Amino acid sequence: MPTDNTSTTTTPARPRHFSMLRDFHLADFFTLGNAACGVGGVLFAMLFMQTQMPFHFFAAAALAPAAFAFDVFDGKIARARHQHSALGRELDSLADIVSFGVAPAALGFAAGLQGGWDAVALIYFVCCGVSRLARYNVTAETLSSDSGKVRYFEGTPIPTSVLLTALLAFAAWQGRLGGDLYGGVFLLGPWLLHPAALLFVLSGSLMISKTLHIPKL
């Protein structure tokens, strides 16, 4: 009996160019806008250190509320279009750590928080932000109500760091950067400390608090 030696194989479809971006939802592009503002803030802070032009400092500070606006709208758009996804949540956290963690720390460093203890405070602040976002991603489903919306934050949300950025912008407007920062500067042991750096320590500590519950609107 003759046999058919022809075998049928399925050739996997070749991925399309920019296939990942094609799969993004509208809210994800707003999240990328958030990240872009954060990176811009870091670049302007570095540029200020090179040029000492106030415009560069204020531009870095202004990108913080712009990032916050993108962060608010991406959530509203995702809820309105019912397009929540694990990818979107991870993307949001990665954008937030750039815009509300690294960028404020970079601005603080550019403002004059350059002593040894200042650096410790800024690093602590960023590490707290990373830890807080990681904990949120892990516990989001547990904290969600039947509607799927998280009812409250454990610890202050990382976007509250825009208050630090606003304070630094106000200090720059008053010409109080470097050694003229609020609280002055002290030699503590081997390193210098600007008391203003303790505000970053406070902000970071509030973010990782387990007992502080902030209702999510």
Side-chain angles (χ1 to χ4, degrees):
M1 181 177 180
T3 58
D4 186 1
N5 294 325
T6 304
S7 59
T8 303
T9 58
T10 302
T11 303
R14 295 181 62 183
R16 297 175 298 174
H17 292 298
F18 302 105
S19 57
M20 184 182 73
L21 292 179
R22 291 172 185 267
D23 292 335
F24 275 8
H25 301 302
L26 178 60
D28 297 330
F29 288 102
F30 275 78
T31 305
L32 291 179
N34 172 6
C37 289
V39 175
V42 173
L43 296 180
F44 270 118
M46 292 191 295
L47 194 58
F48 170 75
M49 293 183 67
Q50 180 183 16
T51 66
Q52 293 299 302
M53 292 178 60
F55 168 77
H56 293 145
F57 191 91
F58 290 124
L63 284 171
F68 182 77
F70 276 113
D71 189 46
V72 170
F73 280 113
D74 72 359
K76 289 184 178 297
I77 291 171
R79 287 191 295 271
R81 297 169 68 95
H82 305 288
Q83 292 177 334
H84 299 280
S85 68
L87 175 62
R89 188 170 63 202
E90 296 298 330
L91 192 65
D92 187 67
S93 292
L94 293 172
D96 282 355
I97 194 57
V98 174
S99 297
F100 308 118
V102 177
L107 190 65
F109 190 82
L113 301 180
Q114 300 172 10
W117 294 116
D118 301 335
V120 171
L122 296 177
I123 292 170
Y124 171 79
F125 166 76
V126 174
C127 289
C128 286
V130 173
S131 302
R132 190 245 180 274
L133 289 168
R135 182 181 66 187
Y136 174 79
N137 286 352
V138 170
T139 61
E141 293 184 3
T142 304
L143 298 178
S144 297
S145 61
D146 294 337
S147 64
K149 181 180 178 181
V150 175
R151 294 167 295 173
Y152 60 84
F153 294 107
E154 287 185 343
T156 53
I158 191 171
T160 55
S161 66
V162 296
L163 298 176
L164 294 174
T165 304
L167 180 63
L168 292 173
F170 185 70
W173 180 69
Q174 290 188 318
R176 301 193 60 175
L177 298 181
D180 294 326
L181 273 171
Y182 305 124
V185 58
F186 300 95
L187 179 64
L188 185 61
W191 294 335
L192 293 175
L193 170 68
H194 291 81
L198 298 179
L199 293 175
F200 282 86
V201 175
L202 175 62
S203 177
S205 299
L206 291 175
M207 283 192 287
I208 60 174
S209 171
K210 184 72 174 177
T211 56
L212 180 62
H213 290 176
I214 309 296
K216 184 175 182 181
L217 302 178

